[in-house]
Amino acid sequence: MITVGNVLVGAGVRGCLDDAIPASARRVVVVTQEGIPPVAVARPHDVVTIGTGEEHKTLATIERLCRAFATFGLTRSDCIVGVGGGMVTDVAGFAAATYHRGVDVVHVPTTLLGMVDAAIGGKTGVNLPEGKNLVGAFWPPAAVLCDTELLATLPEREWRSGHGELAKYHFLTGDDLLAMPLEERIGRAVAIKLAVVENDPQERTGARATLNYGHTLAHALEIEGRFDLRHGEAVAVGLVFAAELAAALGRIDTARLGQHRAVVAAYGLDGRLPAGVDPERLMILMRRDKKATRGLTFVLDGPHGVELVEDVEPAVVRAAFDGMEWAP
Ligand SMILES: NC(=O)c1ccc[n+]([C@@H]2O[C@H](COP(=O)([O-])OP(=O)(O)OC[C@H]3O[C@@H](n4cnc5c(N)ncnc54)[C@H](O)[C@@H]3O)[C@@H](O)[C@H]2O)c1
Ligand SMILES: [Zn+2]
């Protein structure tokens, strides 16, 4: 078992759930989805199931959850447990942040992406028709249990999606996460993310921006929504694109660009643009990115490592698109 702050990683760590739930909690509500492996809770508890898919990540779901908490009689000193992928932990975390003005939450992520990213770091929230994750709160979990046994049923596609985030961490530190056994790989990713979050827990100083490496184009591809990409798959394309852009700006050389393509491929991902995307349309979407307060803004590699670069010339962004390969 590996411990990073209040995150436990290892086979069977779900068995530590009762110890992870604060002693004050007399009752627990488990928030989960159909098809997620069940997790045993020792204290009196209720289980509430939410719908599968981003279309259920809404304020309506938060209302339904909070009403279920009230019906069950959950109090401020009780605890909510999120068992599922990033969608479940984002929703359970936001409901916990707002019910009775905030109750404790413990996360048991069941996807690789949840373990290395979504369930840690304290961001919670839901979507609006106007955009993803537009309403939310910073609500750090009391504990996170990353039980690798729960990944036994995870579909291949979801593994790949988690590897997109791992490839991102690879570039942030140079660590070859693939060379590590699974438990260590997850533990190392958690440590990388928490070290960044610690310096900027509420995303006020910009230090957290590096965690968005590869995400400017990824978010644009996800908003377009026509390409059926899982989040980490979109990040993989975004990482290669960020490298093309850094090369076009003279920030990195062709060897480092080639390394980006090679690392993305090694993590089992496709760094090519999906057939049919329109770069001009993606540029409009990237301009609306939350980071883009001053022109087209990207997180880019360079002589000082990965950092935020503002006001990138549209002509250079077009040149980066020209350098990209296309999936058939
Ligand atoms: N809060 C953050 O910092 C943060 C970071 C990254 C992503 N996110 C959010 O996370 C969400 C994506 O999370 P995700 O990639 O984990 O997807 P997800 O939660 O939608 O899960 C993907 C699918 O896998 C299923 N599943 C989950 N665990 C399973 C298991 N063990 N066995 C079988 N099936 C299982 C789910 O039911 C779902 O159908 C998005 O909503 C995104 O906005 C949040
Ligand atoms: Zn991400």
Side-chain angles (χ1 to χ4, degrees), residues 117 165 215 231 235:
D117 193 1
E165 296 290 352
H215 281 58
H231 178 69
V235 170

Side-chain angles (χ1 to χ4, degrees), residues 67-306:
R67 291 184 65 181
F69 301 161
T71 305
F72 185 60
L74 204 75
T75 71
R76 277 215 67 180
S77 56
D78 289 333
C79 186
I80 292 162
V81 176
V83 181
M87 145 126 199
V88 169
T89 53
D90 272 15
V91 166
F94 186 45
T98 50
Y99 181 73
H100 285 206
R101 299 193 182 83
V103 299
D104 285 323
V105 68
V106 172
H107 290 315
V108 184
T110 64
T111 61
L112 180 61
L113 189 128
M115 294 183 188
V116 301
D117 193 1
I120 57 172
K123 280 195 195 179
T124 72
V126 295
N127 304 327
L128 292 179
E130 286 73 17
K132 274 194 73 181
N133 301 325
L134 291 187
V135 181
F138 287 100
W139 196 247
V144 182
L145 307 178
C146 301
D147 188 336
T148 49
E149 285 175 2
L150 296 173
L151 297 172
T153 51
L154 193 70
E156 178 65 33
R157 196 88 198 263
E158 302 301 334
W159 274 101
R160 204 175 321 141
S161 182
H163 276 114
E165 296 290 352
L166 291 176
K168 174 190 80 179
Y169 292 130
H170 185 129
F171 291 114
L172 296 188
T173 60
D175 287 5
D176 184 2
L177 298 162
L178 278 184
M180 303 174 186
L182 182 62
E183 181 177 313
E184 199 182 318
R185 193 185 307 173
I186 294 169
R188 183 70 195 123
V190 169
I192 295 169
K193 176 160 181 177
L194 290 188
V196 175
V197 169
E198 203 171 30
N199 287 324
D200 184 15
Q202 303 223 338
E203 206 163 293
R204 294 193 195 279
T205 68
R208 250 182 117 135
T210 54
L211 295 172
N212 265 320
Y213 191 39
H215 281 58
T216 312
L217 181 69
H219 286 152
L221 288 167
E222 287 178 286
I223 293 165
E224 274 293 83
R226 295 185 290 119
F227 312 110
D228 184 33
L229 292 175
R230 297 296 300 145
H231 178 69
E233 294 174 331
V235 170
V237 182
L239 288 169
V240 172
F241 179 74
E244 279 288 352
L245 187 53
L249 287 165
R251 294 174 56 89
I252 60 171
D253 59 18
T254 48
R256 180 73 176 151
L257 170 58
Q259 206 183 357
H260 274 74
R261 291 191 200 285
V263 167
V264 162
Y267 281 76
L269 290 144
D270 188 346
R272 297 174 299 179
L273 284 169
V277 302
D278 173 5
E280 291 300 323
R281 167 88 190 134
L282 294 173
M283 282 176 61
I284 293 170
L285 293 171
M286 290 194 290
R287 235 182 265 277
R288 290 190 206 144
D289 190 89
K290 276 186 237 146
K291 292 188 296 298
T293 47
R294 255 172 274 169
L296 279 159
T297 300
F298 296 88
V299 179
L300 297 176
D301 198 6
H304 314 292
V306 172

Side-chain angles (χ1 to χ4, degrees), residues 25-40:
R26 293 176 53 212
R27 291 157 160 247
V28 169
V29 175
V30 176
V31 178
T32 189
Q33 276 173 335
E34 295 280 343
I36 305 263
V39 166

